[in-house]
Amino acid sequence: MIRLALVRHAKSDWGDASLDDHDRPLNERGLRDAPRMAERFAAGGWRPAVILSSTALRARTTAQFFSERTKVAVEQQEELYGAPASRILRAAVESRASWVMVVAHDPGMTTLAERLSGGGIAAMPTCSVATFTWATDDWDVATSLDPDEWTIDTPR
């Protein structure tokens, strides 16, 4: 079985216009929501084998909360910063792990979640989590299947 959790980074702070987009931190809401979502995720017994994260500060910080709750190390990948859906999925596939979490950005996250859910997920708000499961152990098979054969899991 292959699982993929997509996590859009928590709400970021736009208060300092001098910061580069890559360096924007989480705002107060993001610092509140990220640990809560990570706790809910971990409390549901969810534990990926690997957490892949964009190198942007807001994504790294969000990923760190999930890492602390699940005891899974974060692997930062520069190519996930602003990545399109295809690159996000390719990063998961290239990890070759059977249970992957990816923490990244929109619009790539929403596009991928929409495609994987067959249109059932129209938006990935900040700090949202969407988890997908394929009944195969082969990423190449999983990503070639018809979207109607994919299932959407909901963390408790």
Side-chain angles (χ1 to χ4, degrees):
M1 183 175 328
I2 291 177
R3 283 196 170 147
L4 172 63
L6 301 177
V7 179
R8 183 168 172 214
H9 66 76
K11 191 75 173 163
S12 61
D13 189 344
W14 290 84
D16 185 349
S18 70
L19 285 178
D20 182 74
D21 179 71
H22 192 268
D23 299 324
R24 284 190 296 113
L26 296 181
N27 68 11
E28 186 176 317
R29 185 174 115 199
L31 290 169
R32 180 191 71 229
D33 291 350
R36 286 180 181 169
M37 286 300 287
E39 184 61 39
R40 288 180 67 189
F41 185 84
W46 298 79
R47 188 174 185 274
V50 63
I51 299 174
L52 308 177
S53 175
S54 158
T55 56
L57 179 57
R58 60 196 181 273
R60 290 190 335 250
T61 305
T62 301
Q64 189 57 41
F65 284 114
F66 281 87
S67 173
E68 290 168 3
R69 274 29 174 226
T70 61
K71 308 295 186 232
V72 176
V74 176
E75 179 185 321
Q76 295 179 34
Q77 294 190 355
E78 189 173 328
E79 61 273 8
L80 289 173
Y81 175 63
S86 59
R87 182 63 197 116
I88 295 168
L89 184 57
R90 188 166 53 249
V93 171
E94 289 172 353
S95 78
R96 289 296 181 201
S98 61
W99 205 156
V100 181
M101 173 182 281
V102 180
V103 182
H105 313 268
D106 251 2
M109 294 299 277
T110 291
T111 301
L112 182 55
E114 181 179 33
R115 288 179 185 164
L116 294 179
S117 69
I121 297 174
M124 287 281 294
T126 54
C127 210
S128 59
V129 178
T131 306
F132 302 90
T133 302
W134 292 268
T136 179
D137 292 328
D138 185 341
W139 273 104
D140 294 332
V141 171
T143 57
S144 69
L145 295 174
D146 185 303
D148 291 336
E149 297 180 37
W150 304 343
T151 60
I152 303 169
D153 295 327
T154 307
R156 299 180 223 334

